[in-house]
Amino acid sequence: MNHGHGTSQSKEMDVPPDSLVRRLLAHYEATRRAMPWRETRDPYAIWVSETMLQQTRVDAALPYYMRWIEQFPTIDALADADEAVVLRAWEGLGYYSRARNLHTAARVVRERYGGALPDTAAGLRALPGIGAYTAGAVSSIAFGRAEPAIDGNARRVYARILDLEDDAIPAIHRAAVAIVPADRPGDFNQAIMELGATICTPRPHCQRCPVEDLCLARVRGTIPIRPSVAPSKAVPTFHVATAVIIDDDGSTIVTQRPSAGLLAGFWEFPSRICGRSAVARNARELATALIGAKPPRARRIDPIQHAFSHRIEIYHPFVYRVRTTDVAGDVAAAAVSPSMLSALPLPVAQRRIASAAGIPRA
């Protein structure tokens, strides 16, 4: 078999790459799961799928992918879209910087590359939001480049098969360079990731593995420590006072988050991080500033919790029924109807607050 980087084995490797490649490709052909992005050669569609699959399970990403390709079928269509529309299409998928980076990169590709994605890993990495994994995946799958694609599943597979003590992503990448074949590199990368997703899981099913006898960690009994697992860090929790101000027409007041940082550009009900015992006072202060008068007595909603990757936020919504939602003075907020609220990009927790407050979804 012709390997893109030669067939010589690195000093860490005692695994014959030809046998490994041949068996994994045969297993992939026989057992691979059907996914729409595996039925296309469109680099844009492959790029979208790989971006969505970062930090997201296949079954969760699938409906978003189908809707996205229908709504933004080409790089030009995505580049032409307003950011709010792009964020709304991504709403609920999480890690929203992925959507903003896709949008920004689409515009860069149109302006600098005539609307065609670069066909090398290095060229792809020059685009916003594309790191080593996505560059390797897209360049190998869409353009046939012999580049590794190391996600969490691939890292686990390589660390076990090669029994690597140094299993940081850069080390795994260096080891994989000697294995990824010049023939069908995209299929091979997907075969590695598929094995990690279905068989070489954190609790592996070694008896079903097509390369069990080639796996050095299996032979040496080191599977329980491959790959290494970093100790988990404590996740901080924040209490968020939230003012839900609704008028007789069902309109409500919302504010837009800053253009950078967590949930950048999304809209939300006016809120403020504070101590758990101070949520009622802070919500009342927010409502007073927004309507320019002391608000009526609030109806308190059960707290709504949302876990981000690095923090937990517990929202404490207080619903204020007012005659009008005219925003006072120069407060940076807007009064929107239920239909306008439905069209805005709102984080999942904010949709839950709206539902609990009785705001109809148009």
Side-chain angles (χ1 to χ4, degrees):
M1 179 172 288
N2 177 25
H3 286 266
H5 304 277
T7 56
S8 62
Q9 298 175 25
S10 67
K11 63 183 179 181
E12 307 103 320
M13 270 175 31
D14 298 307
V15 176
D18 286 339
S19 295
L20 181 67
V21 169
R22 184 173 61 253
R23 289 202 218 169
L24 284 180
L25 283 174
H27 182 263
Y28 178 66
E29 289 170 359
T31 64
R32 71 177 192 167
R33 294 169 293 173
M35 300 173 189
W37 46 83
R38 289 179 173 169
E39 310 306 320
T40 180
R41 303 301 299 176
D42 178 9
Y44 166 68
I46 292 167
W47 172 37
V48 170
S49 72
E50 290 297 340
T51 302
M52 286 187 171
L53 290 171
Q54 297 168 23
Q55 311 290 340
T56 303
R57 301 185 319 277
V58 168
D59 57 348
L62 181 57
Y64 283 90
Y65 171 83
M66 301 301 289
R67 290 193 297 266
W68 184 280
I69 293 300
E70 182 178 357
Q71 189 171 0
F72 314 113
T74 64
I75 287 176
D76 275 341
L78 179 56
D80 284 337
D82 291 334
E83 183 182 80
V85 175
V86 172
L87 291 176
R88 183 71 178 87
W90 198 272
E91 186 182 299
L93 201 54
Y95 298 92
Y96 295 99
S97 61
R98 294 180 296 174
R100 282 188 291 272
N101 284 330
L102 271 172
H103 190 216
T104 302
R107 293 181 170 179
V108 171
V109 169
R110 182 166 65 180
E111 292 166 6
R112 298 184 188 173
Y113 303 100
L117 276 174
D119 63 1
T120 65
L124 289 163
R125 289 201 68 172
L127 296 175
I130 295 187
Y133 164 71
T134 303
V138 175
S139 65
S140 64
I141 297 169
F143 300 113
R145 302 285 186 178
E147 295 281 351
I150 311 300
D151 68 350
N153 286 325
R155 173 178 176 252
R156 184 168 56 253
V157 171
Y158 278 116
R160 287 173 174 169
I161 288 177
L162 304 180
D163 193 30
L164 296 176
E165 289 186 33
D166 182 358
D167 55 24
I169 293 291
I172 297 286
H173 191 279
R174 287 193 298 272
V177 162
I179 299 176
V180 177
D183 301 329
R184 302 177 61 192
D187 283 346
F188 178 74
N189 282 334
Q190 291 181 92
I192 287 280
M193 292 185 280
E194 185 88 338
L195 190 75
T198 60
I199 292 177
C200 196
T201 55
R203 293 184 177 181
H205 308 280
C206 295
Q207 70 281 2
R208 291 167 40 202
C209 180
V211 293
E212 177 186 5
D213 59 315
L214 300 180
C215 177
L216 296 184
R218 175 73 165 162
V219 171
R220 298 169 182 170
T222 56
I223 282 179
I225 59 173
R226 301 284 183 263
S228 57
V229 179
S232 58
K233 297 179 181 179
V235 179
T237 297
F238 298 90
H239 293 276
V240 186
T242 305
V244 184
I245 304 166
I246 309 173
D247 71 11
D248 293 339
D249 296 328
S251 293
T252 188
I253 295 177
V254 289
T255 59
Q256 189 172 26
R257 295 182 66 90
S259 59
L262 183 68
L263 300 173
F266 273 73
W267 291 78
E268 64 184 2
F269 296 104
S271 60
R272 180 186 295 165
I273 292 174
C274 61
R276 171 69 180 83
S277 62
V279 291
R281 174 173 56 81
N282 277 269
R284 187 169 62 252
E285 289 175 357
L286 285 167
T288 301
L290 287 161
I291 65 176
K294 184 178 178 180
R297 185 178 179 85
R299 174 170 66 91
R300 188 167 188 168
I301 296 175
D302 289 341
I304 290 174
Q305 179 172 308
H306 186 76
F308 297 92
S309 61
H310 61 297
R311 62 193 282 156
I312 294 171
E313 293 193 351
I314 301 176
Y315 302 93
H316 299 267
F318 293 81
V319 179
Y320 301 92
R321 289 281 180 177
V322 299
R323 292 183 179 178
T324 177
T325 47
D326 290 341
V327 178
D330 59 355
V331 177
V336 297
S337 66
S339 61
M340 292 171 64
L341 186 68
S342 292
L344 289 175
L346 257 67
V348 170
Q350 302 297 313
R351 294 281 180 208
R352 292 172 61 196
I353 292 170
S355 176
I359 299 173
R361 184 161 186 173

